Amino acid sequence: MAERVRRIAGEADAVTQAPPDAGALLQQVARGDEKAFEGLYDLVASPVFGLVRRIVRDPAQSEEVTQEVMLELWRTAARYSAERGSGMTWVMTLAHRRAVDRVRSAQSATDREDKAYRRETTRPFDEVAEQVSTRLEHEQVRRCLTSLTELQRESVELAYYRGLTYREVSDLLDTPLGTIKTRLRDGLIRMRDCLGVAR
């Protein structure tokens, strides 16, 4: 009978025995106890994942962060101090920091990509101003070309816009080389005056 009572009392103790304490497990893990780490993992993995998932949102990244937290617990368990709070609070604080760091890192990467995209797609003001200025100059040159004689205009266009030599212009227009040189010189002087270029 006494044996039976002892056995029932032992079973009752086993049933009422408190679940493992995260703080006590952390202290054992700090000493390199792998069995204690298994117990700690079983105790905190689910709450850590839940917290991380609420912050990070992405399931795959939440799993990664949870694994990082568990590795950090193994490496830094010696930093836990029971005087500062419960083991579970320390673990959850660590998980919260890791999750926030992941979100910030992802946001920074997104911001960098956005900046790079905007830099590539927005045209700088100077480039636009230069295009407008160039277009105005082209229009002014066209207007000044109309003020030249027919031979001057043809000579200037062939020599400066088509890149022909004086000899090639002379051959093409069937005009003596000396005349082409004179027409070009006179045409360029008139163009300079028309464009307002200082001498």
Side-chain angles (χ1 to χ4, degrees), residues 94-194:
L94 202 82
H96 184 268
R97 285 185 189 144
R98 278 282 181 163
V100 169
D101 286 348
R102 177 62 66 99
V103 170
R104 286 181 181 153
S105 175
Q107 186 60 50
S108 293
T110 301
D111 291 347
R112 279 193 302 275
E113 289 171 9
D114 287 347
K115 277 184 188 174
Y117 174 76
R118 273 188 256 121
R119 223 177 296 138
E120 290 172 8
T121 57
T122 55
R123 297 172 66 168
F125 175 77
D126 292 342
E127 184 181 332
V128 173
E130 190 171 321
Q131 285 182 355
V132 170
S133 175
T134 302
R135 186 171 295 144
L136 290 173
E137 288 172 4
H138 285 219
E139 288 174 13
Q140 189 176 7
V141 168
R142 272 191 229 108
R143 184 177 46 79
C144 290
L145 276 171
T146 60
S147 70
L148 303 179
T149 66
E150 185 69 27
L151 188 55
Q152 287 173 336
R153 185 173 56 255
E154 281 181 324
S155 300
V156 168
E157 286 176 349
L158 290 171
Y160 291 96
Y161 288 106
R162 292 205 18 217
L164 301 179
T165 64
Y166 288 180
R167 166 81 49 210
E168 291 169 330
V169 172
S170 170
D171 292 344
L172 191 64
L173 296 178
D174 196 28
T175 306
L177 181 60
T179 305
I180 292 298
K181 287 182 178 179
T182 302
R183 296 295 180 260
L184 276 167
R185 188 193 71 228
D186 293 346
L188 291 175
I189 289 170
R190 284 179 87 175
M191 288 286 291
R192 181 192 66 201
D193 294 341
C194 178

Side-chain angles (χ1 to χ4, degrees), residues 26-83:
L26 281 166
Q27 289 171 343
Q28 293 170 26
V29 170
R31 292 190 293 271
D33 186 334
E34 292 181 15
K35 196 79 171 156
F37 182 72
E38 286 178 23
L40 181 66
Y41 190 97
D42 291 342
L43 179 67
V44 303
S46 183
V48 164
F49 179 75
L51 172 66
V52 169
R53 177 76 194 271
R54 282 195 302 277
I55 296 169
V56 175
R57 302 216 185 269
D58 179 73
Q61 285 197 35
S62 297
E63 288 175 11
E64 285 179 20
V65 173
T66 300
Q67 287 303 318
E68 289 171 10
V69 170
M70 299 315 291
L71 284 172
E72 191 170 352
L73 288 176
W74 174 253
R75 288 193 306 259
T76 64
R79 293 185 192 161
Y80 167 68
S81 173
E83 293 84 41

